Amino acid sequence: MTTLETDVLIVGSGAGGATTAMMLAEAGRRVTVAEEGPWVDPGEVEPFSLAEMVRKYRHQGSSAALGAPPVAYAEGRCVGGSTEINSGLWHRLPGWLTEEWRARDDIDAFGPDVLDHYAALVEGWMSVSLVPGAPPVSSAVLERGAAKLGWRAVEFPRVFRYDTLERGVKQTMARTLIPRAVAAGASVIADCRVLRLLTAGRLVVGARCSRMLPDGTRERVDIRAGTTFVCGGAIHTPALLQRSGIRGRVGHNLKLHPTIKIAARFPHPVDHGEIPMHRISEFAPNLTIGGSASRPGHIALAVADAGADVAAAMADWEHVAVYYAAIRSDAGGRVVAVPGVASPLVTYRLTDGDMSRLARGLVHLGELLLAAGATELWPSIDGAGSAHTLADLAPWWGAVDRTRANLMTVHLTSTVRMGESSAAAADSFGTPRGWTGVQVNDASLLPDAPGVNPQAGVMTIAARNADAWLARN
Ligand SMILES: Cc1cc2nc3c(=O)[nH]c(=O)nc-3n(C[C@H](O)[C@H](O)[C@H](O)COP(=O)(O)OP(=O)(O)OC[C@H]3O[C@@H](n4cnc5c(N)ncnc54)[C@H](O)[C@@H]3O)c2cc1C
């Protein structure tokens, strides 16, 4: 057993953890980051490849929220967290939404002046930019379909840095804020899972960890800290708090963006290296349409979801790409730590309203892809086969049901909801009710699913909270 001492311990090195680590280290605090996953050199594995799933995803990418239907989800598990595997699409939290949260959840210091300040600060670190030149074909398809139907389409900026030849590199935490934190003196311990927080009464004094050594064996490490920031993401933050005896409303109110997909065949080749940066905002915020990763494995999975002939579809996979419709859901879920099991039990109950929004999303996505010139569509509904015309979409309204819809998500939030209201699990800056020495600072704090890509909001709120902590300490 090894014992370490630090001013601030940060559990998890993703969007929330890296932001916290960098700001506190640059302000002169002694910072230690414990990250369960490995360090993977930026550029070492190909984005959206099988190797990436093995090295950087939790459970190699296969996790599920149980329910009818279940919702498959993905999370990063490596230094940099989910920012290492995400698409880098950047969307500030809409002002009308943060104002709604501020009023409903009674969140202090959450006005537009505060949030705009931190959003601009974070954007300054992250190289938020539009694609130079023409968008890739897979993205132009969305623009073309929207133009034909008279729907609004928007090109989203991404956290990409471009060289003079317009080659882009995604700015993940392992490329940006983690190196800055280390340069300012932070110590990042990879392969170090925090098992539980160490407590004295209702004061958190550090954490007990299991760290992997270079020879593959594990050792126990106790890290004593003045303050512990828990930034393990919306699934593992509440699970760690619960394992440590911090309960209340922790783990209630899981929110996500349920997503349904279509694999679409076009008469022309579609690029497969990029994630489309266009989104259809015609039905926002309750329904968003966009493009997904479309490597051969993703295409095969999407076609298999429809129960169609995978071999036939894959014969010309270069002409096929995967698109999605994602909804803001009325439903909620739970995260519950299970004694003796590393991963918590996750449940999510979609409402009937959610199911009909998903059906509407699927039909609109089908209309858009046909308008863009697609010749064959495979929806992610068991046994649906393929569609070729608008008339073929009519049965989809009834087919998106609780037994046949194959859903997934990559946006998980709200399990340690912040605010001063009785529904909140933590105060306006992330301290769980009734506890000291501990603060949450990740996607768990968002009071609800934002209806937009969450990373910008997670980092904005994390930067606000880190500054507030510095002002008090
Ligand atoms: C495939 C994919 C695509 C996405 N695309 C986008 C996008 O284009 N735009 C966007 O805005 N958002 C996107 N997201 C979502 C975005 O990446 C997340 O919302 C954001 O990273 C959440 O930040 P976080 O700090 O809460 O958690 P994470 O970034 O997931 O970081 C949590 C970290 O904590 C570690 N951890 C957990 N438990 C422990 C423990 N007990 N001990 C030690 N370490 C622990 C994990 O290993 C992980 O590294 C995507 C997500 C995925 C998975």
Side-chain angles (χ1 to χ4, degrees), residues 139-214:
S139 203
V141 157
L142 289 167
E143 223 183 353
R144 189 165 73 218
K148 285 246 175 75
L149 295 170
W151 293 351
R152 269 171 298 142
V154 183
E155 181 190 337
F156 274 60
R158 301 182 301 170
V159 286
F160 268 63
R161 185 182 283 275
Y162 292 91
D163 65 15
T164 48
L165 297 174
E166 299 187 350
R167 287 176 305 210
V169 175
K170 191 178 70 176
Q171 300 301 292
T172 68
M173 293 300 118
R175 286 188 192 271
T176 56
L177 306 196
I178 292 288
R180 273 181 67 171
V182 171
S187 146
V188 178
I189 312 176
D191 297 309
C192 182
R193 173 174 161 83
V194 174
L195 302 172
R196 66 178 175 83
L197 303 178
L198 299 171
T199 55
R202 290 173 82 81
L203 169 70
V204 171
V205 295
R208 173 149 302 170
C209 313
S210 166
R211 171 168 67 173
M212 193 163 72
L213 299 172

Side-chain angles (χ1 to χ4, degrees), residues 11-17 34-37 57-58 74-78 80-83 85-89 192-194 231-233 236 240 243 410-411 442-443 453-456 458:
V11 182
S13 60
E35 166 56 54
E36 179 177 356
Y57 280 58
R58 187 176 294 276
E75 303 165 283
R77 183 185 161 279
C78 57
S82 300
T83 72
I85 60 171
N86 74 16
S87 313
L89 290 157
C192 182
R193 173 174 161 83
V194 174
C231 309
H236 298 280
L240 173 59
R243 287 201 299 275
V410 292
H411 297 163
D442 63 13
N453 300 83
Q455 184 183 338
V458 172

